[in-house]
Amino acid sequence: FEDDVGLRTLLKIRLKPSDTVIDCGASIGETTAVLARSHSKVFAFEPDTAAFEILEETFRDNANVVCIKKAVLDSNKKTRLYLNEQRVRSDALPPPIWWRYSAAAWYSVSSSIVPEKRGITTDAWEEVETINLSEFILELECVVKVLKMDIEGAEVAVLRELISSNAIRMVRHLFVETHEDQIPELKKDIREILTELTKFTQLSVHS
């Protein structure tokens, strides 16, 4: 989470071992760890290789956490994940001394499949698989107690598909970080989507 308010709100939700939660854009697993404390079933999606390697290693012995190296989207395909421009600059600042992992992992946070996003470079990318999140949720055939989404600009396409497919009706708490500050073209779409989400009475939206 970008701020403590979102984390405090998440911690107030009482999760049980029988609950299912999804972490989209899990990075190295900081929020995943919070979600996993209750022994709920956690599906953690992360497409960036540098981040995913840490995520997978962190939860290797956690039977309740399933790490999936895919980007969530509104379709199943292969696409480009564009890297943080600092990741490829020779004059980039090194990670802080307390950071235990690679510089690539430090700068993996803002990788995006949206080429218009500020702070990434379209000259450096890795090919990744995407997964249709709506299909994934519907195939679970159970309520998703928490859906956390920090997917660097892809949230518009994913949320639209969740709404049109009615998969959003399976979700109880949606935590979504929107990126209109880094992709100004999304402002109108995000405003409309957040308004539409208020129609789903079973859903609490935190953005």
Side-chain angles (χ1 to χ4, degrees):
F1 289 99
E2 288 293 318
D3 56 70
D4 292 336
V5 176
L7 181 57
R8 287 200 301 268
T9 304
L10 177 60
L11 289 171
K12 289 178 182 176
I13 297 173
R14 295 182 178 178
L15 293 173
K16 306 185 297 295
S18 58
D19 289 328
T20 296
V21 300
I22 301 176
D23 187 356
C24 301
S27 188
I28 65 170
E30 292 172 328
T31 303
T32 308
V34 174
L35 294 169
R37 285 178 189 171
S38 62
H39 303 287
S40 301
K41 187 71 172 182
V42 183
F43 294 96
F45 291 93
E46 175 53 49
D48 188 285
T49 297
F52 184 80
E53 287 175 353
I54 298 169
L55 177 73
E56 188 175 43
E57 180 62 29
T58 300
F59 297 100
R60 186 176 300 281
D61 298 324
N62 289 61
N64 60 309
V65 178
V66 180
C67 300
I68 303 170
K69 191 182 183 301
K70 291 186 179 182
V72 297
L73 201 56
D74 57 350
S75 60
N76 302 304
K77 63 180 182 179
K78 289 185 178 180
T79 192
R80 291 180 176 183
L81 178 72
Y82 299 103
L83 307 183
N84 185 318
E85 61 185 0
Q86 294 297 318
R87 196 157 160 182
V88 295
R89 287 181 54 167
S90 59
D91 61 345
L93 291 173
I97 16 177
W98 52 263
W99 181 252
R100 298 183 293 131
Y101 308 110
S102 67
W106 173 257
Y107 285 117
S108 70
V109 177
S110 59
S111 299
S112 177
I113 63 176
V114 182
E116 295 81 13
K117 183 174 179 283
R118 294 173 182 169
I120 57 99
T121 175
T122 54
D123 294 329
W125 49 271
E126 63 171 292
E127 187 176 73
V128 299
E129 289 186 43
T130 70
I131 186 169
N132 185 318
L133 183 63
S134 296
E135 289 181 358
F136 180 83
I137 288 174
L138 291 171
E139 287 171 6
L140 288 176
E141 297 185 336
C142 67
V143 165
V144 175
K145 186 71 171 286
V146 173
L147 172 58
K148 171 255 177 180
M149 191 181 300
D150 184 2
I151 51 177
E152 305 299 327
E155 62 271 10
V156 166
V158 173
L159 288 170
R160 278 179 172 159
E161 176 67 13
L162 285 171
I163 292 168
S164 65
S165 67
N166 273 327
I168 195 67
R169 295 187 183 278
M170 304 301 292
V171 181
R172 295 299 173 262
H173 296 274
L174 170 65
F175 289 81
V176 57
E177 182 176 342
T178 59
H179 295 81
E180 62 270 37
D181 57 332
Q182 296 161 315
I183 313 172
E185 300 90 335
L186 297 183
K187 283 183 180 178
K188 182 174 180 291
D189 292 326
I190 288 171
R191 187 168 60 249
E192 290 175 352
I193 289 169
L194 290 177
T195 298
E196 191 163 1
L197 286 172
T198 62
K199 300 175 183 176
F200 297 91
T201 55
Q202 91 293 345
L203 181 68
S204 295
V205 180
H206 314 272
S207 64

